[in-house]
């Protein structure tokens, strides 16, 4: 591949957002490639990406047969990129909750020697806009619960805006990851720390989605609660 950087964007019914997100990624990191991992969206998301790929160099689509979960979408995307020789991997949402322009700060952190970069909503300079009280409690409470139980100092363990080097993905053994929902984010960061990798947090502003519905479910919350216990016991 002509670029050593791959941005992985999982989608499920994101037709309203994906054209704008892909255009913004081209502006933010013009030399990077983007892989959209689509879970059989019924709203035509994958068709839109296919059409855009005819004119947007470095845009790729990985179709999956059903809604298989966020964690497995990233694992499939990581595997796709590792097989094709990419050296840096980014993960982010498709709904503008994560600012594409902030990717440049992630690149700077990787250039400075980070193995994993975590976009943090809970450190000075980071925040969330547009959430109600319950979402704030779930997010901050989930991170605090995970930090205390796992004994780590990373402020935001549940964020989905992250970057990894190839070495980091190989070290944490993505094929053996057991989490699939939001616990996936906790597990990948925790494994990186356990492997002795350099994990760096940078502040981000998380803005609630512009269009469409949140994919977060009660099952995701429960998986995160029980998953952290399993991680600790292992």
């Amino acid at each position: 591949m002509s670029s050593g950087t791959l941005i992985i964007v999982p989608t499920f019914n994101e037709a309203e957002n994906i054209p704008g997100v892909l255009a913004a990624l081209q502006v933010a990191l013009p030399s990077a490639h983007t892989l959209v991992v689509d879970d059989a969206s019924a709203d035509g998301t994958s068709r839109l990406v296919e059409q855009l790929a005819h004119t947007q160099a470095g845009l790729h689509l990985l179709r999956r047969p059903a809604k298989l979960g966020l964690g497995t979408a990233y694992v499939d995307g990581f595997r796709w990129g590792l097989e094709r020789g990419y050296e840096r991997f980014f993960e982010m949402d498709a709904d503008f909750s994560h600012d594409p322009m902030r990717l440049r700060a992630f690149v700077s952190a990787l250039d400075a020697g980070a193995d994993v970069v975590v976009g943090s909503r809970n450190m000075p300079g980071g925040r969330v806009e547009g959430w109600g009280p319950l979402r704030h409690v779930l997010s901050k409470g989930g991170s605090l619960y995970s930090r205390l139980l796992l004994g780590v100092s990373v402020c935001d363990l549940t964020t989905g805006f992250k970057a990894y080097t190839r070495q980091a993905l190989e070290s944490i053994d993505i094929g053996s990851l057991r989490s699939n929902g939001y616990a996936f984010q906790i597990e990948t960061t925790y494994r990186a720390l356990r492997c002795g990798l350099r994990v760096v947090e940078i502040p981000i502003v998380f803005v609630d989605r512009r269009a469409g519905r949140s994919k977060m479910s009660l099952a995701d919350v429960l998986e995160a609660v029980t998953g952290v216990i399993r991680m600790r016991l292992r």
Side-chain angles (χ1 to χ4, degrees), residues 68-135:
L68 302 176
L70 183 69
T72 60
Y74 278 125
V75 169
D76 286 347
F78 292 150
R79 283 174 172 158
W80 188 95
L82 289 169
E83 290 169 358
R84 287 160 178 79
Y86 290 95
E87 295 295 331
R88 290 180 170 184
F89 299 79
F90 295 80
E91 58 173 65
M92 62 181 295
D93 292 347
D95 59 7
F96 280 105
S97 294
H98 300 146
D99 181 4
M101 295 303 292
R102 195 65 181 140
L103 288 170
R104 296 176 180 177
F106 283 74
V107 171
S108 296
L110 291 174
D111 287 343
D115 299 301
V116 179
V117 185
V118 174
S120 178
R121 301 158 292 184
N122 300 332
M123 68 183 298
R127 66 182 187 277
V128 175
E129 296 179 354
W131 275 3
L134 179 60
R135 286 292 301 274

Side-chain angles (χ1 to χ4, degrees), residues 43-77:
D43 67 347
T45 298
S46 59
R47 289 194 299 273
L48 278 173
V49 175
E50 281 185 329
Q51 294 168 6
L52 292 168
H54 291 303
T55 56
Q56 184 172 329
L59 175 59
H60 308 279
L61 172 67
L62 178 59
R63 291 175 177 266
R64 303 207 305 169
K67 192 174 187 295
L68 302 176
L70 183 69
T72 60
Y74 278 125
V75 169
D76 286 347

